[in-house]
Amino acid sequence: MSDPVITPARPRRRLWLVALPLVVFLALAALFFSRLETGGDPSRIPSALVGKKAPVVSLPPLEGLKGPDGAPLPGIDLAALGGKPALVNVWASWCGPCREEHPILMQLGKDPRFSLVGINYKDAPDNARRFLGQFGLPYKAVGVDPKGRTAIEWGVYGVPETFVVSKDGTIVHKFVGPLTPEAVSNTLLPLMARLSGG
């Protein structure tokens, strides 16, 4: 009985099987480092709605939530914002990054050039009220989206997300993830100054 003959194709196939994970890893590492070098921002996910009219929003208020004057805070009706640009912030009490950005929202809520409104996403009302009671109420209105249907219409990937809406109801910018001081000073405030005419 003769020994089996090993053909040269088998070692080459084994070599490819061993080298393939290394090749994939190197390709992914090169992509990652090229994004770092070019200043790629992974939070800048394009939105198909930028440049288009915002979906109609008419959301009921967060039950039991009261404004600074003690009156019940209204739900969201973008058509009733008084001809101002709006920031529409999608948030939830269970969202860790929402806590990070909340001090920034508290400052933005004081700016009279635009209306800051919140869409409370898939949240328990008690938890949402507790969150705002603990961290502060920056919003002029809060609408509840318990099943996430409105968020789907707006193309929300996850919370928090913030949309800039012009006076005529067009979405002009979208921020994915928590707002940062850099995003506010470099992008948001100049954009709001332009949209509000001052």
Side-chain angles (χ1 to χ4, degrees):
M1 189 175 216
S2 60
D3 291 335
V5 177
I6 297 176
T7 62
R10 281 188 181 160
R12 270 192 230 131
R13 191 178 313 147
R14 283 189 199 135
L15 180 64
W16 269 108
L17 288 174
V18 170
L20 186 61
L22 180 62
V23 170
V24 170
F25 171 77
L26 291 174
L28 289 173
L31 177 64
F32 174 75
F33 284 115
S34 73
R35 295 288 290 164
L36 282 178
E37 288 294 317
T38 60
D41 182 358
S43 69
R44 296 188 65 193
I45 300 173
S47 172
L49 295 180
V50 170
K52 297 181 180 171
K53 290 284 187 185
V56 175
V57 174
S58 184
L59 292 173
L62 178 58
E63 191 177 321
L65 184 62
K66 296 187 186 307
D69 59 358
L73 204 69
I76 296 179
D77 181 0
L78 282 186
L81 289 178
K84 283 184 177 181
L87 277 183
V88 180
N89 178 253
V90 185
W91 66 281
S93 65
W94 46 261
C95 159
C98 295
R99 293 171 189 245
E100 291 174 29
E101 80 170 353
H102 207 78
I104 293 171
L105 293 175
M106 290 298 293
Q107 290 302 312
L108 290 173
K110 297 173 187 173
D111 195 318
R113 295 175 295 175
F114 52 86
S115 296
L116 174 59
V117 298
I119 296 176
N120 184 231
Y121 176 75
K122 292 187 175 182
D123 211 348
D126 287 344
N127 293 342
R129 282 191 301 274
R130 193 176 304 115
F131 178 94
L132 293 173
Q134 180 178 357
F135 297 106
L137 177 62
Y139 305 110
K140 304 278 188 282
V142 174
V144 294
D145 186 18
K147 297 192 179 186
R149 288 188 182 141
T150 297
I152 289 171
E153 289 175 20
W154 280 65
V156 171
Y157 294 96
V159 289
E161 288 190 16
T162 304
F163 297 83
V164 178
V165 181
S166 67
K167 293 178 189 178
D168 70 357
T170 301
I171 295 175
V172 295
H173 196 81
K174 175 181 178 180
F175 294 91
V176 177
L179 291 172
T180 62
E182 295 77 25
V184 169
S185 62
N186 296 339
T187 305
L188 179 59
L189 291 180
L191 184 56
M192 281 306 191
R194 182 170 57 82
L195 292 174
S196 63

